[in-house]
Amino acid sequence: MDESALTGEPLPRRLRPGEELRSGAVNAGAAFRMRATASAGASTYAAIVRLAEQAAASRAPLTRLADRFAVLFIAVTAVVSGLAWALSGDPVRALAVLVVATPCPLILAAPIALVAGVGRAAARGIVVKGAGVIERLARIRVVLFDKTGTLTPGRPRLAAIETVPTLRREAALRLAASLAQGSTHPVSAALVAAARERGLAVPAPEAAAESAGGGLSGHVEGQAVLLGSEGFLRARGVVPPESLAIAASLAVAGSVAWLATGSRMVAAFVMADGLRPEVRRAVRRLRALGVERIGLVTGDRAEAAAAVAAVLRLDAVHAGCSPEGKIAAVHEERARGSVAMVGDGVNDAPALAAADVGIAMGAHGTAAAAEAADAVLLVDRVDRAVEAIAIARRSRTIAVRAIVLGMALSGVAMGFAAFGYLPPLIGALVQEGIDVVAILFALTALRPGHDDGAPAPLPDEAGLADRVSEHAGLRRLAERIREGAEAVGDGPGSLGALASLEAALRAELLPHQAEEEEALYPAAARRLGGRDPMGPLIRMHAEIEALCRRLATLLRLAEQQDGWNGASAELRRTLFALEALITLHLAAEEEALAELAAER
């Protein structure tokens, strides 16, 4: 059963006959018979909805911005009006003071600025449920994120492949994906998707059979193949060799799917629920906005939560939380300031209702989360939550300035009226002018600020789409580089494959980098701003080119008589360094340009 919406655990849970099922879970395996033993009112889903309603009812009411200024304004008006009458003995002066003492900056200008913020948010795909939410968002000091479905896509993906020396990684993936076509399990879907991304021809399996929650067995092109968990393969007498033991250590925050041919394990596929591409940048923007504390609240395992928190440098981790535990985490963090909670699942709904502001991932989230939240992101991107906070802060700042501007102008007018320079009739016209000025100023909240929105998209001639589409091929090239480094241990017989690899680098990688520096990087630099935003990426290009030249030189030396022994060690180091640098560069480039690509 897929219980990610209830527990935050991205991988399905295996249940045996007789165990209880929870409403809100989704069948991720074969068909089964189920007996209902409780009414809808006693279900897990209904209990979570009740928790959300109780949390929303217990939240402190909002003290409106205009209310706080109104008391001061009334007091000042009464004092000035009374003094004008008492000192001059002319009640007309008191009347003139009351006429020019306009409350419209409070009654209209501030709400207009906040409602303009709601409109600005809507233009960015953020539905904010009222101006009061904008006020609360502007005061946020702590942001808590759910993990599965919010910071991560909630679907396992292939993170790494480990194989025995006699089997290439692409060949192992082809076998696994072929057998995985016969299953609806999320891990099987991830293997098939990875094979298709690499352009592998995946044959149809023969006599495929699935053991629910365990694995698959069948034949691929006449070869007996097993794919599944370690326990599934051990039960069939297949034990993983020591050479694949590293796969287990790589799967601290994920899981491993094992592949066996005949009676021998030949590959391990490390699966992980990776971060969304925009998450790192979103966390950095929150820091830049002045958010003091960023945390993770999840029902997932502590190991998986800790791995995500370490990558994002989060301040707090609350793992293994039930819906009640998430409410407790929100209350605990509220001691440090106003709290915003961002989530998408049914189990997030109570925490979304308990937080000062709940933000739901509405594009693929649950209806319960969207109903409990104060704001809903219609675009499936976490960074829109950061934009919501930036828009709210700018709108509140403009609202305060509109109030101060209107009250200041009204104060000056009250002074003139108190000294008899402004009769009531002229004061009425002045008062209307002050109102118009304050309202027009408030409407500037409709314009984008420098902290919200995104840079203008790149023009087509910059070639961003073409360069990004080439990254899949470059990642396959990086895998070939790693295989080449591993093959150095086979001796001079690997020289032919290494020469072919070096030719591929000259034909694919170096022209790709030249095209980026010619058109893409200059256009991106103009959009991103700053002195030299693409400088680090260009420096990586230079280092990659230097390693490619070094590889070519080493291959020439290795081809000479008795040259292999002297060049092989350095050749292996160069290949591993080149693979690591290319992988890092692709990740850094995609993150740097993601915002420019998203708008397209």
Side-chain angles (χ1 to χ4, degrees), residues 34-265:
M34 178 185 74
R35 178 182 294 110
T37 59
S39 65
S43 67
T44 304
Y45 187 92
I48 291 176
V49 171
R50 285 194 296 272
L51 274 175
E53 291 171 348
Q54 292 166 7
S58 64
R59 188 163 61 187
L62 171 71
T63 302
R64 299 302 298 265
L65 181 70
D67 296 340
R68 293 195 295 273
F69 281 94
V71 175
L72 174 64
F73 185 72
I74 291 171
V76 170
T77 301
V79 169
V80 173
S81 176
L83 287 174
W85 191 351
L87 295 177
S88 67
D90 185 1
V92 175
R93 292 191 182 185
L95 176 61
V97 169
L98 294 175
V99 168
V100 298
T102 173
C104 283
L106 294 171
I107 298 172
L108 292 178
I112 283 173
L114 298 175
V115 171
V118 173
R120 171 64 188 154
R124 298 294 299 157
I126 307 161
V127 175
V128 178
K129 300 178 183 179
V133 177
I134 291 287
E135 285 195 47
R136 291 199 298 270
L137 264 175
R139 296 200 293 266
I140 291 301
R141 291 292 175 266
V142 180
V143 177
L144 301 177
F145 289 99
D146 171 50
K147 184 180 81 70
T148 305
T150 302
L151 295 181
T152 68
R155 300 179 303 275
R157 63 172 181 83
L158 181 61
I161 305 174
E162 298 294 331
T163 64
V164 295
T166 57
L167 183 65
R168 290 189 60 192
R169 288 177 175 81
E170 286 196 352
L173 178 59
R174 181 174 176 272
L175 282 174
S178 175
L179 190 58
Q181 292 178 106
S183 171
T184 58
H185 194 281
V187 171
S188 297
L191 290 171
V192 174
R196 287 174 177 165
E197 285 175 5
R198 298 167 188 236
L200 300 180
V202 181
E206 302 168 7
E210 182 174 13
S211 173
L216 293 158
S217 61
H219 289 77
V220 178
E221 297 179 335
Q223 187 175 17
V225 180
L226 293 173
L227 174 67
S229 65
E230 183 178 350
F232 173 75
L233 270 67
R234 282 184 181 275
R236 286 154 178 77
V238 184
V239 180
E242 290 185 8
S243 60
L244 295 180
I246 190 173
S249 62
L250 287 172
V252 173
S255 63
V256 176
W258 300 86
L259 177 71
T261 57
S263 59
R264 177 169 169 259
M265 280 197 191

Side-chain angles (χ1 to χ4, degrees), residues 358-493:
I359 303 175
M361 302 286 291
H364 297 292
T366 61
E371 183 68 25
D374 301 291
V376 180
L377 309 182
L378 301 183
V379 181
D380 196 30
R381 294 178 58 88
V382 176
D383 53 1
R384 294 300 167 92
V386 184
E387 285 190 34
I389 294 175
I391 290 168
R393 291 193 175 182
R394 181 170 181 270
S395 300
R396 187 178 185 276
T397 298
I398 290 174
V400 171
R401 289 175 179 172
I403 290 173
V404 171
L405 175 64
M407 292 176 66
L409 292 175
S410 184
V412 171
M414 286 187 335
F416 278 94
F419 285 100
Y421 297 116
L422 200 62
L425 182 59
I426 301 301
L429 296 176
V430 171
Q431 181 251 355
E432 293 298 333
I434 293 172
D435 293 345
V436 171
V437 170
I439 290 171
L440 290 176
F441 183 84
L443 286 172
T444 60
L446 285 170
R447 297 205 310 261
H450 67 278
D451 284 332
D452 63 88
L458 287 173
D460 291 336
E461 55 267 23
L464 176 59
D466 294 334
R467 302 291 81 77
V468 171
S469 66
E470 292 169 1
H471 281 194
L474 295 180
R475 284 194 169 86
R476 291 195 293 273
L477 187 58
E479 287 189 2
R480 286 183 58 192
I481 294 171
R482 183 180 176 187
E483 290 178 348
E486 293 169 346
V488 169
D490 297 338

Side-chain angles (χ1 to χ4, degrees), residues 3-4 11 119 140 179 225 262 275 308 322 345 364 371 408 442 462 510 539 548 552 554 575 579 581:
E3 296 183 338
S4 57
L11 295 176
I140 291 301
L179 190 58
V225 180
L275 292 172
V308 170
S322 63
H364 297 292
E371 183 68 25
L510 299 184
R539 172 63 187 274
C548 289
L554 287 169
L575 286 167
E579 184 247 348
L581 186 53

Side-chain angles (χ1 to χ4, degrees), residues 316-371:
V317 179
H318 304 270
C321 293
S322 63
E324 295 90 340
K326 291 192 175 187
I327 294 177
V330 168
H331 289 323
E332 178 184 336
E333 295 293 341
R334 186 175 281 133
R336 299 175 174 87
S338 297
V339 177
M341 173 71 190
V342 186
D344 72 311
V346 174
N347 62 336
D348 298 320
L352 293 173
D356 295 286
V357 178
I359 303 175
M361 302 286 291
H364 297 292
T366 61
E371 183 68 25

